[in-house]
Amino acid sequence: ADKLVVQAGVPAPNTNAIAIYVAKQACLFRDEGLQVDLQYTSGAPLATQLVAGDKADIALVSYEPYLLGYDKGIRGKFFYQAFDRLIYFIGVPVDSDIKSIADLKGRKIGVSNMGSATVIVGKSMLRSAGLEPVDSAFLPVGIGDSALAALRGNQVQAVALWDAAFAGLERSGAKFRYLYHPEIADFGNGGYFASDKTLASKRDQLERFSRALAKANLFMLANPQQTLEMYWRANPAGKSGLDAASANEKGMAEIRFKSPYFERKKDDTFGRLDEVLYEKYQKMMKEEGSLATLVPVKSFMDGSLLPAANRFDRDAVMQKARAWTGSEVCN
Amino acid sequence: MNPSQSLAGAPSAPAKKTPVRSGISRDTLLVIAVTLAGFGIWELAVRWLQVPQFILPSPMAIAARVAQDFTSGLIFPHFLQTLVEVLAGFLLATVIGVGLGTLVALVRTVERVVYPFVLALQTVPKVAVAPLFIIWFGFGIEPKIVTAAVIAFFPILVNVIAGLKATDPRRLLLMRALKAGRWTTFCKVQLPGMLPYLFAGLEVGIIFAVIGAIVGEFIGASLGLGSLVIQRQAGVDVAGVFSVLFYLSFMGVALNLALRWVARRWVFWERPTDAVSA
Amino acid sequence: MNPSQSLAGAPSAPAKKTPVRSGISRDTLLVIAVTLAGFGIWELAVRWLQVPQFILPSPMAIAARVAQDFTSGLIFPHFLQTLVEVLAGFLLATVIGVGLGTLVALVRTVERVVYPFVLALQTVPKVAVAPLFIIWFGFGIEPKIVTAAVIAFFPILVNVIAGLKATDPRRLLLMRALKAGRWTTFCKVQLPGMLPYLFAGLEVGIIFAVIGAIVGEFIGASLGLGSLVIQRQAGVDVAGVFSVLFYLSFMGVALNLALRWVARRWVFWERPTDAVSA
Amino acid sequence: MGQAMRASPPPAVTPLRALAPVALELKELAKRYPTRDGGMVQAVASVSATIRQGEFIAILGPSGCGKSTLLMMIAGLVRPSSGSLTFGKPSHDTHPDFGIVFQDPVLFPWRTVQANVELPGEVVGMPREQRARKARELIQLVGLAGFEQQLPSELSGGMQQRVAIARSLMLDPQLILMDEPFGALDAMTREQMNLEVQRISLESGATVVFVTHSIAEAAFLANRVFVMSGRPSTVREIVQVDIERPRPIELMASDRFGVYVSHLRGLLNVTGDAS
Amino acid sequence: MGQAMRASPPPAVTPLRALAPVALELKELAKRYPTRDGGMVQAVASVSATIRQGEFIAILGPSGCGKSTLLMMIAGLVRPSSGSLTFGKPSHDTHPDFGIVFQDPVLFPWRTVQANVELPGEVVGMPREQRARKARELIQLVGLAGFEQQLPSELSGGMQQRVAIARSLMLDPQLILMDEPFGALDAMTREQMNLEVQRISLESGATVVFVTHSIAEAAFLANRVFVMSGRPSTVREIVQVDIERPRPIELMASDRFGVYVSHLRGLLNVTGDAS
Ligand SMILES: Nc1ncnc2c1ncn2[C@@H]1O[C@H](COP(=O)(O)OP(=O)(O)OP(=O)(O)O)[C@@H](O)[C@H]1O
Ligand SMILES: Nc1ncnc2c1ncn2[C@@H]1O[C@H](COP(=O)(O)OP(=O)(O)OP(=O)(O)O)[C@@H](O)[C@H]1O
Ligand SMILES: Cc1ncc(C[n+]2csc(CCO)c2C)c(N)n1
Ligand SMILES: [Mg+2]
Ligand SMILES: [Mg+2]
């Protein structure tokens, strides 16, 4: 089997890479003649750097590091989009009097840190509602418990985070009302990335890799319960601390939270790269002053693998998924 | 002025240690009592003040998680992984710290030329140079060991240097009189003489090796207590995080105690004797 | 066996330091030479091996950023913020380290009861509890100071304890003979006697205070070198990150040198005199 | 006294002892040190004695016999394994003020000579001016004028020991304990110091317990000389030197003095004159 | 010699000096120590002397006059400020093997008595067995048999000094430098040690330079006694003791010996007999 190294933009197993876990354990990579190693990094920028420097084959990352790193020499292309919508949005407590972006006037928004892309998106959202997007509207509060504490202590009245971070907060019992960017909320700003060199030399492997991912997406839609089991096998820490029933309930909620993508676009092309929204998105980043030079879409995306990636017997995969008991798994 | 008057009110001689034998049980009891009291207050505070679990979980909740992590066996592979990283990193740090420290202390040129660089590197946050670590040392256990070693070696280095510089010059004179070579002098005079300092450095070093391994895992790992912390943090599983912290602390304290036990046996001559402590 | 024969081949006496005056210029030159050589090799390696700038920028590129950060004035507020955090944290660490260390060394019960907890707390990775610090100490400068202090205090503590335990017992006897109180004994005998150890601890401590402040800023800050690192890392601005690391190292080295300067003046009696080093 | 004597024993009456109140009473004092291998070393077997105020006691005995240990027990710095020790005023169970000179100088390397001598004054809170003046006087007394600002590491061995002597006299103590204070001094300095100690003890009325290896020094200075046996040590014999004090240095050449020296020498098995 | 003498000077002929080859030649040796305040202390002004192989030189002088400094310069442990020092075989510019006893014991606290004495043997790579045997013999010689396994901290001051003496003899050195080695010993032990040092020096033919404060000891042991002036010191007078060696301890009581002692005492301004 051909070996591929995938670099995740997160420091430890998490739901972001769930398609990889599924493709591995359901033997979808094996069926495509691939052996995939998943490695973790402290963040998307590091994963992007490593892949652009050919230290690994594929990165599973959000788009911002590439865009921001373009004028520092980062090259390569995203060939498969993994997210279905902008992972950055704003959450306010469900009982908050903030109902719209405009209500954020004069309020403080918590962000993980001032370097986070959530600041960019948050500013853009403020601007869209005619509010002044000043730095002082944001306060770094970290993620998780400290963010919750900031909300509870009223140091901030809203938090701008990303999907997985909100999923974590929700898992701990907090309830949010979410505010999305009015124009680009549907842009799935993350995917699989490879250097131009890899794209040229391992084109065939990347195509098979993409196909396995597409099959995995379908598999997840067909059998969420087994998807959760696979996730737990890859990340035993994901379920610990709870009795079986509530673990299952929370786990399914998280899977659902993470994968509306697959439900909404099940009839669409898996991994489709959205050029129109991409242009909007990077314009927004430039407008907020974080992006110096625009990156032409041709330098950013390469959708040429997708047709072949989506060419497979969907019913067979659905069947396999439904019949999956987890008694035998690939590694 | 009559000095005896001024002395009259002065407190008596400095406190002296009670013999070890009679001390152990009382102090151990005290530790247990303090621990229980601390946890009791914590538990009650969390309950009465209704501190949410995500801010500070109750000791009971943490204890339950600790027990569960143990019985489910989930913690063991992580614990072992981190332990290996810590020990390997500590060993490396000790070798480098003692070696470099010796050079720095004994060769003035090395001190002036190398030490500034060591210092400069020391302040660099390891997470910031993670890409280099990964590129140089790969994705396996190596970068974690290196991180542990890099963080742990500095206190060892500094103490080795301080210990060597504090060598009683008359002992060096004696070795010169014997025409002992540098190496012999080092082995027979400076090395034993610096042991009290060295062990102080190692005591800090072993603790920092634990921290270093964790930081290394934060850069990216699927196994190890640090990676477990990240996963649980992401899930706002605060009790789960505290459970991992418990195992981490256990590791640190156990390693430190082991080291202090070794220190007591090796630095036996510094134990105050009855003559002065009676 | 004739001892004189065995001695004949032995190397001469251990190296002794050359006087400071003549040393400075030569060693400084050497440091500069080594630095230049190092950067030269780095520059050439990056060029020849075509290491991408976003993985390891060339020294020239970093130097340009360092200069730019300086002339644009961008670095100063961050530098100042971190410096304040470091100094405040270090001060706090020194006070706690010396205070607690003294208690631990002088009162056996404190040693047995408190020390295990200190150790346990020490192994806990600060990044993991930093969120709690934020919750407890707010979102301002305080949690960064606390993080710096918590990381820096341990080496200080350990050295204070080691230093106090190494007190020459005959000096204590003398103070007992004078019926000196505990406090007087401490101030006049144990405190000065432990200074060499203390300064070794402080030297490590100041460096760790820098690291601690950065770790504190990593968790959430809008000002400070650590927050700048995070921001530039997110922007894959590697040369920018290295520029910040340069300023961080500068801060660490400068603070450490200042401390060693103080140490040399305060621990003057440990300087080897001409009598033994000639 | 199963010991063959080489000279006639001295007369048995002692005016001072009869008159002065008791300063110090030792009752079967003994000390055992634990050794590393779990055993015990009996350093002092059983010492009993009554010492009166203003008395000058010299202790003579072989090296390692327990003289320092005995002195340290009197100073309250080593706890006796058995036996008891009481001081003049029984109401006080604390030790009286005393000055002490250890066998090593035990100076503070970070303090200058002046500051080392001032230390006891600092401890009892003597005013700065008075303390400085007194220290200067004492430094002069021990012949170190001009070295006030030196560090101990810049002094010779004998000079260091003299700093320690000056320090022990800082508080005009009523009890002075000295462990071979003049061992590192040359003969002339030693003679001067002997005269000074004699003068101080007589002027202040202090009780002095003085360990020495010099038989002549012991006989010259002491009211009574305790001659100790080898380890485990007891006081083998107490030799009373019934010569009025102060004693002039020329006394040493006299026959009267020679009788005591010969007697002590015989007790200690010394043949020649090398001490 | 502007000094008034109390006894007639000794005769001027010395068989040993004339015969033996030169072991050590000092030419206007001087030492200045820098002080902390930037000044200089002149410890030794100018010492010139020729010392022959097998000679036993004693150095007498007031405390702080520079005796230890001179000894350390001979040992090569302190660099002279001016002057020169040459050893018997001019081809060697390194120092010959020598044994040294410092004014303090300078023992290694982590080594037992046995291991401390063995140290020089270890340094030169003496076989383990031989080294252990030799060390046991020397420990016996200094009267510490039975204390082999004790740590220095468990010994009395005099016992520690005896360990240092044993150590200095470990390598049968041809040059022995001793700085007040017996200052902490009682009279009887000191006498024994004097006899031992005399025996060793005669048997091995070693050259000995011996600093002492005991005038009688110097006269008893030495071929020549260097009497030093106060600081900055020079050798004020060299007193040759023309009595054949080995000398019995009873010699000390003789008039012949007394002449030398009185002469030295006069040179050193000593009145009494307290040394
Ligand atoms: N390291 C030093 N720095 C400055 N001065 C020193 C140093 N060592 C010795 N001296 C001075 O040199 C002089 C001679 O010292 P040395 O130790 O040689 O005397 P000594 O004759 O051995 O005296 P003693 O009989 O007391 O041992 C002393 O006055 C002392 O103050
Ligand atoms: N800390 C100790 N541990 C064990 N044994 C000790 C300790 N201190 C002293 N001793 C033993 O006690 C005995 C008496 O020691 P001490 O110091 O009282 O002798 P001393 O009469 O003062 O001898 P010196 O004239 O040599 O100073 C010695 O044999 C010594 O070995
Ligand atoms: C594939 C992928 N998954 C998750 C994140 C999470 N994430 C989004 S923003 C942010 C912090 C820095 O802005 C992090 C960790 C990502 N970036 N890429
Ligand atoms: Mg003694
Ligand atoms: Mg001397």
Side-chain angles (χ1 to χ4, degrees):
Chain A
D2 296 310
K3 219 180 130 156
L4 283 177
V5 176
V6 175
Q7 200 69 75
V10 288
N14 98 7
T15 51
N16 263 304
I18 201 157
I20 305 259
Y21 306 141
V22 170
K24 265 185 106 141
Q25 293 179 37
C27 307
L28 304 173
F29 285 138
R30 190 199 63 190
D31 294 348
E32 296 287 350
L34 292 174
Q35 143 103 57
V36 172
D37 281 353
L38 183 60
Q39 291 172 341
Y40 298 92
T41 48
S42 55
L46 179 51
T48 308
Q49 278 166 267
L50 290 172
V51 168
D54 282 318
K55 305 294 173 192
D57 300 308
I58 300 165
L60 167 55
V61 287
S62 55
Y63 290 158
E64 298 78 27
Y66 179 89
L67 293 170
L68 297 171
Y70 189 78
D71 61 358
K72 281 107 185 172
I74 298 271
R75 290 296 180 274
K77 290 183 182 61
F78 284 86
F79 59 89
Y80 189 104
Q81 184 167 304
F83 301 172
D84 74 311
R85 57 173 179 173
L86 199 61
I87 60 171
Y88 308 118
F89 42 91
I90 291 176
V92 298
V94 272
D95 51 359
S96 165
D97 60 346
I98 301 171
K99 309 268 196 248
S100 68
I101 300 174
D103 294 339
L104 287 169
K105 185 174 168 62
R107 309 297 181 95
K108 273 249 193 267
I109 303 166
V111 291
S112 61
N113 64 66
M114 292 306 282
S116 171
T118 55
V119 177
I120 304 168
V121 174
K123 284 184 179 175
S124 176
M125 288 171 75
L126 291 181
R127 194 190 297 281
S128 73
L131 303 176
E132 182 75 13
V134 289
D135 271 350
S136 58
F138 300 91
L139 182 71
V141 296
I143 59 166
D145 43 1
S146 60
L148 276 186
L151 276 174
R152 192 173 279 250
N154 207 30
Q155 273 102 352
V156 296
Q157 292 75 43
V159 286
L161 294 170
W162 56 91
D163 53 1
F166 280 122
L169 296 184
E170 295 229 358
R171 213 197 304 167
S172 76
K175 292 273 178 285
F176 291 96
R177 173 166 46 245
Y178 294 111
L179 308 172
Y180 300 100
H181 196 287
E183 287 162 46
I184 47 175
D186 283 336
F187 180 54
N189 65 325
Y192 293 90
F193 166 79
S195 71
D196 291 332
K197 194 171 134 208
T198 306
L199 272 168
S201 64
K202 298 189 175 173
R203 197 172 169 78
D204 172 53
Q205 282 146 261
L206 296 185
E207 181 189 306
R208 286 183 272 144
F209 177 77
S210 303
R211 188 154 49 239
L213 287 178
K215 289 179 185 172
N217 284 357
L218 200 58
F219 187 107
M220 292 188 276
L221 291 172
N223 194 345
Q225 186 60 51
Q226 281 302 321
T227 300
L228 181 61
E229 298 294 335
M230 288 182 188
Y231 171 57
W232 281 346
R233 200 170 294 118
N235 183 16
K239 70 168 166 186
S240 58
L242 301 164
D243 59 86
S246 52
N248 201 58
E249 188 191 323
K250 296 218 170 184
M252 288 307 291
E254 198 172 340
I255 295 280
R256 274 195 298 279
F257 194 95
K258 188 61 205 173
S259 55
Y261 174 91
F262 314 109
E263 284 167 26
R264 278 196 286 125
K265 300 191 181 164
K266 56 190 148 199
D267 47 9
D268 201 349
T269 310
F270 289 113
R272 190 175 66 86
L273 296 151
D274 191 330
E275 301 191 3
V276 179
L277 281 177
Y278 166 72
E279 294 288 7
K280 276 195 181 171
Y281 187 62
Q282 68 161 339
K283 269 234 300 295
M284 180 275 295
M285 288 183 69
K286 179 143 196 229
E287 209 171 271
E288 297 309 328
S290 63
L291 191 59
T293 41
L294 289 176
V295 182
V297 70
K298 289 273 165 291
S299 313
F300 182 84
M301 290 174 166
D302 178 358
S304 63
L305 294 173
L306 292 176
N310 278 282
R311 210 171 298 134
F312 62 90
D313 183 346
R314 298 190 176 215
D315 290 338
V317 173
M318 299 273 276
Q319 228 165 340
K320 177 178 183 178
R322 289 202 196 96
W324 193 263
T325 62
S327 53
E328 271 177 57
V329 292
C330 291
N331 283 310
Chain B
M1 201 201 137
N2 181 349
S4 75
Q5 276 178 335
S6 341
L7 267 173
S12 65
K16 282 295 142 187
K17 292 161 187 165
T18 53
V20 182
R21 270 145 288 150
S22 76
I24 284 179
S25 59
R26 216 199 77 215
D27 285 337
T28 311
L29 282 178
L30 206 56
V31 173
I32 295 170
V34 168
T35 313
L36 288 181
F39 282 125
I41 293 171
W42 177 357
E43 182 82 36
L44 289 177
V46 166
R47 290 192 187 195
W48 285 347
L49 304 176
Q50 305 209 319
V51 180
Q53 286 279 317
F54 69 85
I55 287 186
L56 191 60
S58 78
M60 300 292 250
I62 297 172
R65 278 309 287 280
V66 168
Q68 190 200 324
D69 282 343
F70 189 89
T71 52
S72 72
L74 180 135
I75 204 79
F76 298 117
H78 296 285
F79 190 90
L80 208 71
Q81 171 80 8
T82 302
L83 185 63
V84 170
E85 292 164 8
V86 168
L87 290 179
F90 177 67
L91 214 73
L92 203 60
T94 305
V95 171
I96 300 176
V98 173
L100 195 61
T102 304
L103 277 179
V104 167
L106 301 188
V107 187
R108 189 175 185 77
T109 306
V110 173
E111 169 170 15
R112 302 216 146 230
V113 177
V114 173
Y115 201 65
F117 293 99
V118 171
L119 270 184
L121 288 180
Q122 202 50 36
T123 28
V124 172
K126 305 309 160 280
V127 236
V129 287
L132 299 176
F133 274 36
I134 289 177
I135 288 165
W136 293 338
F137 305 110
F139 272 98
I141 199 174
E142 297 88 350
K144 286 98 188 174
I145 293 177
V146 171
T147 319
V150 164
I151 294 191
F153 108 98
F154 188 61
I156 301 176
L157 178 90
V158 169
N159 274 274
V160 166
I161 295 174
L164 289 177
K165 294 209 164 176
T167 308
D168 185 339
R170 300 172 308 171
R171 300 207 180 117
L172 292 180
L173 276 189
L174 185 83
M175 294 308 277
R176 286 181 70 186
L178 288 170
K179 293 208 186 61
R182 247 187 219 215
W183 177 242
T184 312
T185 303
F186 176 73
C187 292
K188 297 204 185 291
V189 182
Q190 295 171 302
L191 189 67
M194 81 171 179
L195 282 183
Y197 283 82
L198 175 65
F199 274 105
L202 291 182
E203 240 181 83
V204 182
I206 190 90
I207 294 288
F208 278 98
V210 177
I211 296 178
I214 299 301
V215 168
E217 289 175 1
F218 281 177
I219 292 169
S222 46
L223 200 61
L225 296 175
S227 123
L228 203 55
V229 164
I230 293 205
Q231 293 170 45
R232 292 184 166 177
Q233 240 173 357
V236 201
D237 178 4
V238 183
V241 170
F242 271 84
S243 167
V244 183
L245 297 186
F246 169 85
Y247 285 103
L248 262 178
S249 292
F250 173 78
M251 186 187 293
V253 172
L255 289 174
N256 184 284
L257 286 183
L259 207 66
R260 297 215 286 161
W261 184 79
V262 174
R264 261 203 307 282
R265 313 205 73 201
W266 282 32
V267 193
F268 55 89
W269 68 90
E270 280 223 341
R271 255 175 304 169
T273 57
D274 184 44
V276 294
S277 69
Chain C
M1 204 200 134
N2 182 347
S4 74
Q5 275 180 336
S6 340
L7 266 172
S12 65
K16 282 296 142 187
K17 292 163 185 163
T18 54
V20 182
R21 267 147 288 150
S22 77
I24 284 178
S25 59
R26 215 199 78 215
D27 284 337
T28 310
L29 281 179
L30 207 55
V31 173
I32 294 171
V34 168
T35 312
L36 287 182
F39 282 126
I41 293 170
W42 175 356
E43 182 84 37
L44 289 178
V46 167
R47 290 192 184 197
W48 286 345
L49 303 176
Q50 305 207 320
V51 180
Q53 287 280 320
F54 57 81
I55 284 184
L56 186 61
S58 76
M60 300 291 249
I62 297 172
R65 277 308 287 282
V66 168
Q68 190 199 321
D69 282 342
F70 188 88
T71 51
S72 72
L74 179 138
I75 204 78
F76 296 118
H78 295 285
F79 191 89
L80 207 72
Q81 171 81 7
T82 302
L83 186 63
V84 170
E85 293 165 8
V86 167
L87 290 179
F90 178 66
L91 214 73
L92 201 62
T94 306
V95 171
I96 300 175
V98 173
L100 194 61
T102 305
L103 278 179
V104 167
L106 300 189
V107 187
R108 188 175 187 78
T109 307
V110 174
E111 170 170 14
R112 302 215 147 231
V113 177
V114 174
Y115 202 66
F117 292 100
V118 171
L119 269 185
L121 287 180
Q122 202 48 38
T123 25
V124 172
K126 301 312 158 278
V127 237
V129 285
L132 290 178
F133 285 1
I134 290 185
I135 294 170
W136 295 339
F137 303 108
F139 292 85
I141 198 176
E142 297 86 353
K144 286 97 187 175
I145 294 177
V146 170
T147 318
V150 164
I151 295 192
F153 110 99
F154 187 62
I156 300 176
L157 177 91
V158 169
N159 275 274
V160 165
I161 295 174
L164 289 177
K165 294 210 164 175
T167 308
D168 185 338
R170 298 172 309 171
R171 299 205 181 118
L172 292 179
L173 276 188
L174 184 84
M175 294 307 279
R176 286 182 69 187
L178 288 171
K179 292 210 187 58
R182 248 187 219 213
W183 178 241
T184 311
T185 304
F186 177 73
C187 292
K188 299 204 185 289
V189 182
Q190 295 171 304
L191 189 68
M194 81 170 178
L195 283 182
Y197 283 81
L198 175 65
F199 273 105
L202 291 181
E203 243 182 80
V204 182
I206 190 89
I207 294 288
F208 279 97
V210 177
I211 297 177
I214 297 303
V215 168
E217 289 175 2
F218 276 179
I219 288 137
S222 38
L223 201 60
L225 296 176
S227 117
L228 202 56
V229 164
I230 294 272
Q231 290 176 41
R232 291 184 167 179
Q233 246 175 351
V236 200
D237 179 5
V238 183
V241 170
F242 272 84
S243 168
V244 183
L245 296 187
F246 169 84
Y247 284 103
L248 259 179
S249 291
F250 173 78
M251 185 187 293
V253 172
L255 289 175
N256 184 284
L257 287 183
L259 206 67
R260 299 214 286 161
W261 184 79
V262 174
R264 261 203 307 281
R265 312 206 73 200
W266 283 30
V267 194
F268 54 88
W269 68 90
E270 281 224 340
R271 253 174 306 168
T273 57
D274 184 44
V276 293
S277 68
Chain D
M1 291 226 302
Q3 182 71 21
M5 269 173 265
R6 300 204 170 198
S8 53
V13 197
T14 17
L16 182 111
R17 273 182 75 204
L19 292 174
V22 171
L24 188 60
E25 176 104 44
L26 319 182
K27 279 218 187 76
E28 298 182 3
L29 266 190
K31 178 68 192 175
R32 282 177 298 280
Y33 287 111
T35 53
R36 270 188 316 140
D37 49 26
M40 283 280 174
V41 174
Q42 176 98 24
V44 175
S46 171
V47 172
S48 302
T50 305
I51 297 171
R52 288 176 187 272
Q53 267 176 37
E55 244 192 320
F56 198 116
I57 302 291
I59 299 179
L60 276 175
S63 168
C65 77
K67 303 178 295 297
S68 298
T69 304
L70 180 60
L71 206 71
M72 295 295 248
M73 286 194 286
I74 294 176
L77 301 178
V78 162
R79 205 195 308 277
S81 305
S82 62
S84 76
L85 181 77
T86 45
F87 289 94
K89 299 174 192 145
S91 60
H92 292 213
D93 54 8
T94 60
H95 282 78
D97 308 323
F98 59 93
I100 189 162
V101 180
F102 296 104
Q103 201 163 354
D104 305 305
V106 191
L107 302 178
F108 293 82
W110 51 85
R111 285 174 168 256
T112 59
V113 168
Q114 173 83 21
N116 263 291
V117 175
E118 280 189 25
L119 178 75
E122 280 176 38
V123 169
V124 302
M126 195 186 281
R128 177 182 297 272
E129 252 312 301
Q130 182 189 344
R131 176 170 100 202
R133 190 162 7 93
K134 176 96 193 190
R136 271 193 304 273
E137 281 169 27
L138 288 168
I139 290 169
Q140 177 102 44
L141 181 85
V142 297
L144 288 178
F147 289 90
E148 286 85 355
Q149 296 315 316
Q150 306 276 78
L151 290 180
S153 61
E154 298 170 333
L155 301 183
S156 76
M159 291 159 89
Q160 289 180 21
Q161 192 62 22
R162 283 182 275 163
V163 175
I165 294 165
R167 180 178 61 192
S168 74
L169 300 174
M170 186 69 192
L171 296 182
D172 299 320
Q174 280 306 296
L175 175 60
I176 302 178
L177 306 175
M178 293 184 156
D179 196 351
E180 304 182 31
F182 307 144
L185 300 184
D186 62 286
M188 192 183 81
T189 312
R190 192 165 189 159
E191 265 180 10
Q192 288 168 356
M193 296 306 302
N194 280 343
L195 290 172
E196 286 299 342
V197 164
Q198 173 172 263
R199 182 182 63 73
I200 288 167
S201 79
L202 287 172
E203 277 177 15
S204 70
T207 313
V208 182
V209 182
F210 187 99
V211 174
T212 179
H213 283 312
S214 166
I215 292 170
E217 185 170 272
F220 178 74
L221 287 172
N223 294 111
R224 288 189 291 161
V225 180
F226 289 15
V227 180
M228 302 191 64
S229 66
R231 205 167 37 84
S233 64
T234 51
V235 178
R236 184 208 285 187
E237 186 165 328
I238 297 181
V239 176
Q240 191 157 325
V241 184
D242 280 317
I243 302 175
E244 63 294 344
R245 303 169 66 210
R247 300 167 188 163
I249 206 75
E250 293 73 27
L251 176 72
M252 290 203 187
S254 73
D255 285 346
R256 211 173 145 212
F257 185 75
V259 173
Y260 289 103
V261 170
S262 313
H263 178 60
L264 288 168
R265 208 171 264 161
L267 287 173
L268 288 163
N269 251 332
V270 182
T271 325
D273 193 8
S275 63
Chain E
M1 292 226 305
Q3 182 70 23
M5 269 173 267
R6 302 210 170 189
S8 55
V13 198
T14 14
L16 180 111
R17 273 183 75 205
L19 293 173
V22 171
L24 187 61
E25 176 105 44
L26 320 181
K27 278 216 190 77
E28 298 182 1
L29 265 190
K31 178 68 194 177
R32 284 177 297 279
Y33 287 110
T35 54
R36 267 188 320 140
D37 49 28
M40 282 283 173
V41 173
Q42 175 99 25
V44 174
S46 172
V47 171
S48 301
T50 304
I51 298 171
R52 288 174 187 274
Q53 267 176 37
E55 243 190 322
F56 198 116
I57 302 291
I59 299 179
L60 274 175
S63 168
C65 77
K67 302 178 295 299
S68 298
T69 303
L70 181 60
L71 207 70
M72 295 294 248
M73 286 195 285
I74 294 176
L77 301 178
V78 162
R79 205 195 310 279
S81 303
S82 62
S84 77
L85 181 77
T86 44
F87 289 93
K89 300 176 191 144
S91 60
H92 292 214
D93 54 9
T94 60
H95 281 79
D97 308 323
F98 59 92
I100 189 162
V101 180
F102 296 104
Q103 202 162 353
D104 305 304
V106 191
L107 301 178
F108 293 82
W110 52 84
R111 285 174 170 256
T112 60
V113 167
Q114 173 83 18
N116 264 290
V117 176
E118 281 188 25
L119 178 74
E122 280 175 38
V123 168
V124 302
M126 195 186 280
R128 177 182 296 273
E129 252 313 300
Q130 182 189 343
R131 181 170 95 205
R133 189 162 6 94
K134 175 97 193 189
R136 271 194 303 274
E137 281 169 29
L138 287 168
I139 291 169
Q140 177 101 42
L141 181 86
V142 298
L144 288 178
F147 288 90
E148 286 85 354
Q149 296 315 317
Q150 305 277 77
L151 290 180
S153 62
E154 297 171 334
L155 299 183
S156 77
M159 292 159 88
Q160 289 181 20
Q161 192 62 22
R162 284 182 275 162
V163 175
I165 295 165
R167 180 178 61 190
S168 75
L169 301 175
M170 186 69 192
L171 297 181
D172 298 321
Q174 279 306 295
L175 175 61
I176 302 177
L177 306 174
M178 292 185 154
D179 197 351
E180 303 182 32
F182 308 143
L185 299 184
D186 63 285
M188 192 183 81
T189 312
R190 191 166 189 159
E191 265 179 13
Q192 287 168 355
M193 297 306 302
N194 279 344
L195 290 173
E196 287 298 342
V197 163
Q198 173 171 264
R199 182 183 61 75
I200 288 167
S201 80
L202 287 173
E203 277 177 15
S204 70
T207 313
V208 182
V209 183
F210 187 99
V211 174
T212 178
H213 283 312
S214 165
I215 293 169
E217 184 171 270
F220 178 74
L221 286 172
N223 294 110
R224 289 189 292 161
V225 180
F226 289 16
V227 180
M228 302 191 65
S229 67
R231 205 167 39 83
S233 62
T234 50
V235 178
R236 183 208 285 186
E237 186 166 328
I238 298 181
V239 176
Q240 190 155 327
V241 184
D242 281 316
I243 302 176
E244 62 297 341
R245 303 169 67 213
R247 302 169 186 159
I249 207 76
E250 292 74 28
L251 176 73
M252 289 203 186
S254 72
D255 285 348
R256 210 172 146 213
F257 184 76
V259 173
Y260 289 103
V261 171
S262 313
H263 178 59
L264 289 168
R265 208 171 263 162
L267 287 173
L268 289 163
N269 254 330
V270 182
T271 325
D273 193 8
S275 61

